[in-house]
DNA sequence: GTTTATGCAAACAATTTGCACGCGG
DNA sequence: CCGCGTGCAAATTGTTTGCATAAAC
């Protein structure tokens, strides 16, 4: 089991959203949402489809696309493109935002969080008239072992 | 005129590359390269094609795709995906780093530079034992017109 | 002349849409 | 029942590839 508390709170966020909009709770939406929420960091549509079909072989890719769009709309998922043409969805633990620092030699990825940087970003965005929803910060370099 | 010095130095970088690889200098490549290099910051393939056809209506989209790939290979262009499905190419004056803020509704992209953020990143990386080579910061949200 | 480049059309891949049917409320 | 959801197939969109011809060297 993966973090039952935050998981169920997220599922209830989806359900609230569905109710507000007069949408329906279906088995497919539940399956797809659970797969996404228990994915580690990023997951692609192809992968979601494969896992979903293990639970219900009749699920179609259209439904996965549409459900993921729903999850984006209610703030549970963030779509990302890493340059290979496919969209990946990121599942971010809402209270644990982090950025990445990546070693270009050994590919080690470490995570960090710096509130000062976050605050400055908000200030920056605000001065440009933007309302921030999310952001991505990646630092590339050499780690202590490789430098 | 836009920075004639750096522009011609970049064009000669392309020509050197072509020579090394035994490739040919053609009118199309010159037109497309100049359009790209004098574009402000980012430019998409559709836009390049339109401008190129104003100079030579027979230019095909295939050639634009292939030429932009060339420019990437010789280090003059950086491909970027901002989430609307199309690839944009960034023309960066090699010493002028900037970050991006992207509107998720209208796809408008603005640039900014904030030295405080850059400094904090260095400090952050240093405390993790990393030597920074480069980084990428993208903020996503709604712009003043869309919020 | 030989080799690479071009432009068209066809192929591809990821995603979206139209529609008849099924299911949730 | 009524309306939204689903899954299929067809349509769209961005990009790549095959091929005959044209241009560079």
């Amino acid at each position: 089991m993966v973090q039952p508390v935050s998981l169920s709170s997220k599922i209830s966020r989806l359900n609230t959203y569905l109710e507000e909009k007069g949408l329906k709770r279906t088995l497919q939406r539940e399956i797809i949402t659970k797969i996404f929420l228990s994915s580690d960091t990023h997951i692609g549509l192809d992968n979601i489809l494969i896992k979903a079909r293990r639970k219900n072989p009749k699920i179609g890719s259209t439904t996965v696309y549409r459900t993921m769009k729903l999850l984006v709309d209610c703030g549970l998922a963030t779509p990302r493109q890493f340059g290979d043409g496919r969209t990946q969805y990121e599942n971010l633990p809402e209270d644990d935002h982090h950025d990445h620092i990546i070693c270009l030699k050994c590919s080690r990825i470490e995570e960090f969080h710096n509130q000062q940087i976050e605050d400055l970003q908000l200030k920056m965005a605000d001065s440009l008239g933007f309302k921030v929803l999310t952001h991505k910060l990646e630092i590339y370099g050499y780690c202590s072992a490789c430098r």
Side-chain angles (χ1 to χ4, degrees), chain A residues 64-121:
Chain A
V64 177
Y65 278 102
R66 288 193 275 226
T67 303
M68 290 313 296
K69 202 162 272 186
L70 258 184
L71 295 184
V72 171
D73 286 344
C74 70
L76 293 176
T78 312
R80 306 201 140 206
Q81 330 255 154
F82 289 110
D84 68 338
R86 317 130 165 277
T87 300
Q88 305 244 119
Y89 288 91
E90 177 165 12
N91 168 26
L92 36 131
E94 48 218 287
D95 42 355
D96 166 34
H97 169 74
H98 59 257
D99 297 308
H100 300 279
I101 184 162
I102 298 119
C103 177
L104 290 170
K105 271 197 189 131
C106 68
S107 296
R108 187 149 69 99
I109 298 175
E110 297 209 16
E111 298 174 350
F112 65 90
H113 176 85
N114 184 312
Q115 194 55 46
Q116 282 184 76
I117 293 180
E118 311 269 311
D119 291 343
L120 280 171
Q121 285 178 24

Side-chain angles (χ1 to χ4, degrees), chain A residues 36-77:
Chain A
F36 168 70
L37 289 176
S38 45
S39 78
D40 201 13
T41 51
H42 311 97
I43 189 165
L45 290 144
D46 44 355
N47 242 307
I48 297 175
L49 185 61
I50 290 169
K51 291 188 179 181
R53 282 192 166 148
R54 284 210 272 270
K55 299 216 170 191
N56 178 347
K58 299 174 66 88
I59 282 185
S61 54
T62 313
T63 303
V64 177
Y65 278 102
R66 288 193 275 226
T67 303
M68 290 313 296
K69 202 162 272 186
L70 258 184
L71 295 184
V72 171
D73 286 344
C74 70
L76 293 176

Side-chain angles (χ1 to χ4, degrees), chain A residues 10-18 29 33 71 74 76:
Chain A
K10 288 188 170 186
I11 288 181
S12 77
R13 171 154 24 148
L14 171 63
N15 288 334
T16 306
Y17 180 85
L18 293 178
R29 284 180 177 164
T33 303
L71 295 184
C74 70
L76 293 176

